[in-house]
Amino acid sequence: MSVRHALLALLSEGPKYGLQLREEFEARTGEVWPLNVGQVYTTLQRLERDGLVETANGDTPAEHDALGNVPGAPQKAFRITPAGSAELDQWLRVPPDLSSPPRDELVMKVLVAITVPGTDVHEIIQAHRTYLVQLMQEWTRLKEDEDGSDLAFSLVVDAELFRLDSVVRWLDAADGRLRRAKAEGWAPARTAQATMPALARRRRIGARQQ
């Protein structure tokens, strides 16, 4: 998640203090991603350095003066600059770079398990699948307990359920592919050679995205 751009989005509504930004960030994202106030101020300092936000104590609403207050320390509110608004607009509209697969730990575990002598990769896959299904059940219960009033939380839960479901389906597909490969005489020793064409195709995909 880009905390940098999330803070710019909050500041697009008007000047705010650091603690206020942290509280609103957590509220707007369904309170699923806790944010340390130190990270907020560090990010604000970098945004100010880059000219995307600026100090705005003079025009901060009076009802917000006490937010983020530190006894004995002067308060510093921030507002977005025109450059910050342009940066936010570009971030919202430009798709993230998905041309290369992320370094997924679960995928890596399955790939490594294939090569470890004496390891039942199908057992490994089922153990992870069971865990993911349990997570999906927990998220589903949380969703059912909500009355739907927290739209941000509902959207986060939907996204997580879709994500977990896709991982479970990948595990099922991997299990089936491995079983078919073994039935056809596949051996782990051929793995490195077999992946070279795929790597070349991936590099070409990445090149087209640039």
Side-chain angles (χ1 to χ4, degrees), residues 41 59 76 93 106 139 188 203:
Y41 281 110
D59 54 5
K76 190 174 183 180
R93 296 174 184 276
L106 180 54
W139 280 109
R203 293 192 183 101

Side-chain angles (χ1 to χ4, degrees), residues 30-44:
E31 299 185 357
V32 175
W33 296 293
L35 188 62
N36 186 288
V37 70
Q39 184 180 1
V40 172
Y41 281 110
T42 298
T43 304
L44 286 170

Side-chain angles (χ1 to χ4, degrees), residues 41-52:
Y41 281 110
T42 298
T43 304
L44 286 170
Q45 290 171 0
R46 291 171 180 166
L47 289 171
E48 186 175 26
R49 177 201 63 194
D50 296 339
L52 303 180

Side-chain angles (χ1 to χ4, degrees), residues 33 35-36 38 61 74 108 121 138 147-148 181 210:
W33 296 293
L35 188 62
N36 186 288
M108 206 169 286
V121 66
E138 292 177 9
D147 58 6
Q210 296 178 355

